[in-house]
Amino acid sequence: IDSDSVILEWNLQAERTFGWTRNEVIGRDMVDIIIPERFRSAHRQGLRRYLATGDAPLLNQRLELSALHRDGHELPVEITIRPTGTPQAPRFHAFMHDISGRQRAIWRLTAQTSAAAALVAATTLADAAPKVLAAICKALGWTIGTLWLLDADGATLRFAQYWIVPEAAVGHFLGASRGATFAAGVGLPGRVLDTGKATWISDVASAENFPRAAAAALDGLHAAFAFPIRKGAQVLGVVEFFSSSINEPDQDLLNMMETLGSLLGQ
């Protein structure tokens, strides 16, 4: 980019990472292309300070930041920015790569460790469930976790417990969940009950077969996954989690959660 953040060059890896072609971005303001809106003001202020004083503590440093993909989702990147050119006409070269995979691996390990610690400290499902819900939400940065248990008829799931991050405003969704029951195949809990498998939905607000979609949309909930609590072949309940962002399926996470569901069932 130049001193006005105008994109001068955009290589093939940038096309793959951010979804924009070179022809689409050359000559455009980089801030509007890849910087999330909440960080744009700070970027512009930092650039003005550098041009005025030469002070730029973030240059030539390896940083981990959030960047914006063309489709609107954010991705974690590792970035180093190096200045070139002259004081009168500076240019900046950003070398970055997507570290989503590495970050997901760290989150999965943290969630696994935290959930295991909660299980060790508990003696019953009623005692373990809220601790596991809290541990996983905190480790993954997700907003709400819920527990559904089978009624005495063995065919209907009913809302049992939940955990939400303290600052989350999810009253519409909690209200819709508390009053709901799900038979096999209906909604996210019912799908898990029917298949006995962990399931992922990238965006529940627009998903089919998700009766609480309107409430989720009101509270800004999008991605979701759920897994069964199993004892052998029997499904005893379902645990589900929701995020405020749209996230693509993470099969390794689902596999780990199915193992956790078996431990909860025991």
Side-chain angles (χ1 to χ4, degrees), residues 10-11 40-41 70 77 82 88 94 114-115 118 138 156 161 167 174 187 230 242:
W10 186 265
N11 68 10
R40 291 174 185 174
S41 177
R70 180 176 185 162
V77 297
R82 301 193 186 282
Q88 294 74 30
S114 301
K138 291 176 181 178
T156 306
Q161 294 190 42
E167 68 274 13
L174 271 179
R230 302 175 62 102
F242 297 87

Side-chain angles (χ1 to χ4, degrees), residues 141-156:
W142 285 46
T143 304
I144 177 173
T146 64
L147 169 68
W148 301 77
L149 296 177
L150 281 176
D151 273 349
D153 62 11
T156 306

Side-chain angles (χ1 to χ4, degrees), residues 17 23 43 49 94 103 138 140 178 226 248:
T17 300
N23 289 338
H43 168 82
R49 182 174 63 249
Q103 191 173 83
K138 291 176 181 178
L140 299 179
R178 284 193 180 106
E248 293 306 308

Side-chain angles (χ1 to χ4, degrees), residues 168-245:
V170 292
H172 298 97
F173 190 74
L174 271 179
S177 297
R178 284 193 180 106
T181 59
F182 292 103
V186 180
L188 180 56
R191 288 168 58 187
V192 175
L193 175 62
D194 185 46
T195 64
K197 298 290 186 181
T199 301
W200 189 289
I201 301 176
S202 297
D203 186 4
V204 296
S206 59
E208 296 181 0
N209 191 15
F210 192 81
R212 295 168 289 163
L218 286 172
D219 290 339
L221 298 176
H222 293 286
F225 70 88
F227 62 90
I229 299 174
R230 302 175 62 102
K231 188 173 183 181
Q234 182 184 9
V235 176
L236 306 176
V238 173
V239 181
E240 57 179 6
F241 293 91
F242 297 87
S243 170
S244 59
S245 60

Side-chain angles (χ1 to χ4, degrees), residues 31 35-41 68 74:
V31 175
I35 296 183
E37 187 171 358
R38 64 186 182 279
F39 300 131
R40 291 174 185 174
S41 177
L68 191 65
E74 293 187 19

Side-chain angles (χ1 to χ4, degrees), residues 108-137:
R108 285 194 297 266
L109 180 60
T110 303
Q112 186 177 39
T113 303
S114 301
L119 282 172
V120 168
T123 56
T124 67
L125 178 59
D127 185 32
K131 297 175 183 177
V132 170
L133 294 176
I136 294 175
C137 282

